[in-house]
Structure formats: structure tokens, C-alpha cells
């Protein structure tokens, strides 16, 4: 199917269908390649008061330069983000906000959200993207969004139906598809 109707009422592109029909437009063959961790998520980072350590380098190797950044962002959105009452319409609004920049170095244009944990997650993602921009020097937000999209679609297509991460990954990837479809419009 070309569209998915979500529990909060919005009908958005089916990201798996969308990717299959737009992958040639993605310019993924020209994506910047670097050595990446390959499996960067919250469980592979140990943090104490003064230090942080990354573990589990089993999947390290060449990959899209944004891979580690987007894998961590996807983990924050799909697993670590605490949504009051698991309100998926709040998640939808957050996804719109996260896809709104047109440049990787750009910050979101939003007022503070009423929930402290949501603001904290958005702040962490903003810092993560700022680091990605500083480290790579790449400001093309479309390259970042495509990497984010492919990571989210991978999670959505490999996660069991009843797992909340699947729905969150589908919502985020559907919003990313919409953003890419309407790139030249004010978002």
C-alpha cells in the first residue's frame, strides 16, 4: 500500500513502499563513506560522571558517514524517548519538528515542549546532529535524512508487530518520506 493510516488519524506515505519507489532519487550511491561503529545505540555506550565508553565493535567497518549518528537518534526516538501516556500524536509532532531543518547545522524552530523529558531528548538529538555536522563538515540535511530513513525502515521491517519500536520507526520514517517529498516547501 502507498499510504498508512496511523492511530492518531494521519495518513502518511508507507515508508517501505516509498523507499522502493524513490531510492534512485536518493543519490545513496554518492553518500559519503567512513569507518563507523555500525551498531551505536544506548546499550553500547557506558557513561559515568566523567567519561563515556563505546563498546561492541563487532559491526565496525565502512558505511555511510552518518550511520552512527542516525542509529543513536533512531534509538532515542524508538526506544528511549518517554512519551506521556505513549501519545503517538506527540511523537508525530516531534518527528515533524526533527525533520523541519533544511541544513544539518540548523536548529529546530520550536517553543519548549511542556514535558521535561521530551525537551531533554530533543536537546540530545540537536547536540548529536551538531556533532555530526562538526565532525563531517557535511551540511546536506537530505543525506542525513536518507540515512535516517533507511535506518528507520530497517528497524520497522525487522521488528515484531507488537513491539512499540516498530510503530515509532514507521511514524518517523513516514514523516521523513513526507519531508523529502515536500523538500522545497516550508515545513
Amino acid at each position: 500500500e502507498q499510504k498508512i493510516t496511523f492511530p492518531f488519524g494521519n495518513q502518511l506515505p508507507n515508508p517501505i513502499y516509498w523507499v522502493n519507489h524513490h531510492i534512485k532519487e536518493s543519490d545513496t550511491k554518492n553518500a559519503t563513506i567512513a569507518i563507523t561503529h555500525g551498531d551505536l545505540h544506548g546499550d553500547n555506550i557506558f557513561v559515568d560522571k566523567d567519561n563515556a565508553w563505546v563498546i561492541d565493535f563487532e559491526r565496525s567497518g565502512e558505511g555511510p558517514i552518518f550511520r552512527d549518528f542516525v542509529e543513536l537518534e533512531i534509538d532515542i526516538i524508538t526506544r528511549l524517548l518517554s512519551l506521556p501516556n505513549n501519545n503517538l500524536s506527540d511523537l508525530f509532532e516531534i518527528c515533524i519538528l526533527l525533520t523541519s531543518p533544511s541544513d544539518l547545522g540548523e536548529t529546530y524552530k520550536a517553543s519548549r515542549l511542556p514535558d521535561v523529558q521530551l525537551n531533554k531528548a530533543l536537546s540530545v538529538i540537536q547536540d548529536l546532529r551538531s556533532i555530526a555536522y562538526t565532525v563531517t563538515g557535511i551540511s546536506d540535511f537530505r543525506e542525513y535524512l536518507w540515512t535516517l530513513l533507511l535506518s528507520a525502515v530497517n528497524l520497522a521491517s525487522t521488528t515484531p508487530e507488537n513491539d512499540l519500536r516498530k510503530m515509532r520507526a514507521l511514524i518517523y520514517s513516514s514523516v521523513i518520506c513526507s519531508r523529502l517529498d515536500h523538500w522545497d516547501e516550508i515545513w
Side-chain angles (χ1 to χ4, degrees), residues 33-156:
I33 302 298
I35 301 298
T36 66
H37 179 275
D39 191 25
L40 194 60
H41 54 77
D43 292 339
N44 282 341
I45 303 172
F46 289 145
V47 179
D48 70 14
K49 181 181 167 199
D50 299 314
N51 300 295
W53 297 270
V54 176
I55 63 165
D56 189 7
F57 289 87
E58 184 176 302
R59 296 185 187 166
S60 293
E62 288 186 350
I65 198 165
F66 292 126
R67 175 189 285 163
D68 293 336
F69 299 104
V70 302
E71 284 182 351
L72 192 51
E73 182 172 328
I74 293 293
D75 191 42
I76 291 167
I77 293 297
T78 62
R79 189 174 66 95
L80 301 175
L81 180 65
S82 174
L83 287 171
N85 301 318
N86 194 30
N87 188 338
L88 294 178
S89 62
D90 284 349
L91 178 65
F92 173 71
E93 293 302 322
I94 290 165
C95 293
I96 294 288
L97 181 65
L98 290 171
T99 57
S100 66
S102 56
D103 184 279
L104 187 57
E106 186 180 324
T107 57
Y108 326 121
K109 296 176 177 78
S111 58
R112 296 198 48 84
L113 298 168
D115 184 87
V116 173
Q117 293 301 315
L118 294 179
N119 281 306
K120 184 176 181 180
L122 288 174
S123 177
V124 169
I125 291 171
Q126 182 63 56
D127 290 347
L128 183 63
R129 288 178 175 184
S130 178
I131 293 167
Y133 174 64
T134 301
V135 168
T136 67
I138 299 171
S139 63
D140 183 359
F141 195 52
R142 285 177 289 197
E143 183 174 344
Y144 188 87
L145 283 177
W146 267 100
T147 310
L148 194 61
L149 173 61
L150 295 176
S151 183
V153 166
N154 180 57
L155 179 64

Side-chain angles (χ1 to χ4, degrees), residues 1-6 10-23 26 74 145-146 148-158 165-181:
E1 292 184 36
Q2 291 186 31
K3 300 277 184 179
I4 297 175
T5 302
F6 288 99
N10 290 53
Q11 191 177 56
L12 297 168
N14 176 336
I16 296 167
Y17 177 90
W18 193 94
V19 166
N20 285 329
H21 287 82
H22 291 83
I23 195 71
S26 73
I74 293 293
L145 283 177
W146 267 100
L148 194 61
L149 173 61
L150 295 176
S151 183
V153 166
N154 180 57
L155 179 64
S157 57
T158 59
R165 294 176 307 153
K166 182 180 193 85
M167 179 60 73
R168 288 180 173 201
L170 280 172
I171 292 168
Y172 202 12
S173 56
S174 292
V175 170
I176 294 167
C177 293
S178 293
R179 173 66 171 117
L180 290 167
D181 272 343

